[in-house]
């Protein structure tokens, strides 16, 4: 599982960074990906990665400020040209449906796939779940409705102990698949092989939290609890809390304090004001490190591997 930081700037593009967008690439065999926000030129940033638009499966918009959505219509349109035919689910605050439908109507845009739009209203919790992961959304504190998202991967079964299967006389094929899925099987001689006898420890699902623009708030802590990766805005440097709160944002210190309070495993800060150059990012990272580690100040096109932190015995 890998997070790509496609744009790490706030408000408008600068010569240092593009505006906000992130992509969470799921592990094999799916290799599909989830997009979080889509500031202008997001699809141009994607061209510099290994991501394929036809593998895009979900889009999650945190809020409707332009630096988070101006790149979305073009990206969705381009997906058809890139061979995208499978459905895409789009989640976002109330108004995202009207925004997309209005632009597509005026521009006569036609998609070759089904776009399913879900508007989030109020302070919702679970908004999606399948056999791979679940997604929760909660309302943050910004100038307009802004959401944070928590993606929880389902626990994964351990590896099959192939040598043990051979010893037991289990033939490779469908029986292996059933055991991998946690089922017991009965062999030709009537003996029963239980899944837990021939699989290693199960893997605990990873948690990724992506927060939209926000001041410090209780829901940010709830979403970030025990996250393996916490992506948190840090628009301003430490000491600029008054200015940050005036515009509904956080400082580096506040992002780190949230990570520490939530017992996150890794903090990546993003959404930096244009006043900061790439040379300033080490200083911003150092400010946060006084309160939480490990912490990373994201640069455009940074890749962060979300590692499995533990196994369940």
């Amino acid at each position: 599982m890998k997070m790509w930081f496609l744009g790490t700037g706030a408000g408008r593009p600068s010569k240092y960074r593009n505006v906000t967008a992130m992509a969470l690439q799921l592990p094999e065999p799916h290799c599909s990906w989830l997009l979080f926000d889509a500031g202008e030129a997001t699809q141009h940033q994607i061209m510099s990665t290994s991501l394929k638009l036809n593998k895009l499966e979900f889009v999650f918009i945190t809020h409707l400020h332009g630096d988070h959505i101006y790149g979305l219509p073009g990206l969705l349109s381009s997906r058809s040209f890139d061979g995208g035919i499978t459905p895409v689910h789009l989640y976002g605050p109330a108004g995202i449906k009207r925004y997309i439908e209005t632009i597509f109507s005026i521009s006569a845009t036609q998609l070759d796939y089904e776009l399913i739009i879900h508007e989030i209203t109020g302070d919702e919790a679970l908004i999606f779940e399948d056999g791979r992961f679940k997604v929760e959304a909660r309302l943050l504190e910004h100038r307009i409705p802004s959401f944070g998202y928590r993606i929880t991967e389902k626990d994964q079964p351990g590896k099959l102990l192939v040598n043990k299967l051979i010893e037991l006389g289990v033939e490779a094929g469908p029986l292996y698949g059933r055991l991998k899925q946690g089922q017991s099987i009965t062999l030709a001689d009537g003996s029963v092989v239980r899944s837990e006898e021939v699989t290693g420890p199960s893997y605990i699902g990873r948690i990724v939290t992506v927060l939209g623009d926000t001041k410090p708030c209780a829901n940010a802590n709830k979403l970030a609890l025990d996250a393996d990766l916490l992506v948190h805005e840090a628009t301003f440097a430490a000491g600029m809390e008054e200015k940050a709160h005036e515009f509904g944002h956080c400082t580096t210190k506040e992002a780190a304090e949230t990570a520490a309070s939530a017992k996150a495993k890794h903090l990546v800060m993003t959404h930096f004001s244009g006043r900061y150059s790439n040379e300033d990012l080490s200083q911003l990272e150092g400010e946060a490190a006084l309160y939480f580690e490990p912490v990373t100040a994201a640069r455009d096109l940074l890749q962060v591997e979300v590692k499995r932190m533990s196994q369940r015995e």
Side-chain angles (χ1 to χ4, degrees), residues 44-300:
H44 287 267
Q45 296 289 85
I46 290 171
M47 293 177 189
S48 298
T49 74
S50 60
L51 298 168
K52 304 299 181 185
L53 277 178
N54 60 10
K55 289 287 188 178
L56 174 62
E57 193 172 356
F58 293 87
V59 179
F60 298 96
I61 299 299
T62 62
H63 64 294
L64 301 184
H65 277 153
D67 57 321
H68 295 255
I69 63 169
Y70 283 167
L72 182 58
L75 182 149
L76 293 174
S77 176
S78 293
R79 186 175 185 267
S80 289
F81 293 99
D82 281 3
I85 56 174
T86 54
V88 170
H89 289 264
L90 167 61
Y91 290 83
I96 188 67
K97 190 173 191 291
R98 181 160 59 96
Y99 169 69
I100 292 297
E101 289 182 346
T102 299
I103 292 177
F104 282 0
S105 175
I106 292 172
S107 62
T109 298
Q110 300 290 327
L111 303 181
D112 294 333
Y113 59 92
E114 182 181 12
L115 178 63
I116 306 162
I117 302 177
H118 311 264
E119 292 195 329
I120 308 171
T121 57
D123 187 12
E124 301 192 24
L126 184 66
I127 60 171
F128 175 81
E129 184 171 14
D130 67 5
R132 298 169 296 168
F133 59 89
K134 66 178 181 179
V135 182
E136 299 165 82
R138 291 189 181 274
L139 191 63
L140 305 173
E141 294 188 17
H142 192 48
R143 290 177 292 157
I144 63 173
S146 179
F147 288 90
Y149 296 100
R150 176 184 174 93
I151 300 88
T152 304
E153 181 185 33
K154 298 292 181 71
D155 290 353
Q156 302 295 312
K159 295 181 179 179
L160 286 175
L161 305 177
V162 177
N163 289 340
K164 192 167 186 178
L165 289 169
I166 294 173
E167 290 176 8
L168 293 171
V170 182
E171 295 184 3
L175 294 180
Y176 276 30
R178 287 170 56 186
L179 289 166
K180 184 75 172 177
Q181 293 168 11
Q183 301 176 25
S184 298
I185 63 170
T186 302
L187 301 180
D189 61 4
S191 60
V192 175
V193 179
R194 293 190 294 272
S195 175
E196 58 269 25
E197 297 174 337
V198 293
T199 55
S202 61
Y203 292 94
I204 298 175
R206 291 160 285 193
I207 300 172
V208 174
T209 298
V210 178
L211 302 180
D213 291 7
T214 187
K215 297 188 291 185
C217 64
N219 275 349
N221 286 71
K222 291 178 182 177
L223 290 167
L225 184 64
D226 296 325
D228 294 286
L229 174 65
L230 168 60
V231 180
H232 198 306
E233 72 125 284
T235 309
F236 295 100
M240 299 187 67
E241 283 75 22
E242 184 176 351
K243 185 174 184 64
H245 296 177
E246 178 185 356
F247 294 98
H249 293 297
C250 283
T251 64
T252 54
K253 175 177 180 287
E254 290 170 327
E257 288 175 334
T258 294
S261 175
K263 299 181 180 178
K265 310 267 190 326
H266 184 190
L267 168 65
V268 178
M269 301 184 299
T270 186
H271 199 266
F272 301 111
S273 166
R275 69 179 62 202
Y276 304 114
S277 69
N278 283 341
E279 287 69 33
D280 295 323
L281 293 184
S282 294
Q283 175 190 332
L284 299 179
E285 200 171 273
E287 293 174 357
L290 295 174
Y291 305 91
F292 178 86
E293 289 186 298
V295 57
T296 304
R299 291 167 169 78
D300 280 18

Side-chain angles (χ1 to χ4, degrees), residues 22-26 32-36 56 58 60 133 151:
M22 290 151 284
L24 181 62
Q25 191 170 17
L26 300 179
S32 57
W33 54 282
L34 291 61
L35 178 67
F36 297 88
L56 174 62
F58 293 87
F60 298 96
F133 59 89
I151 300 88

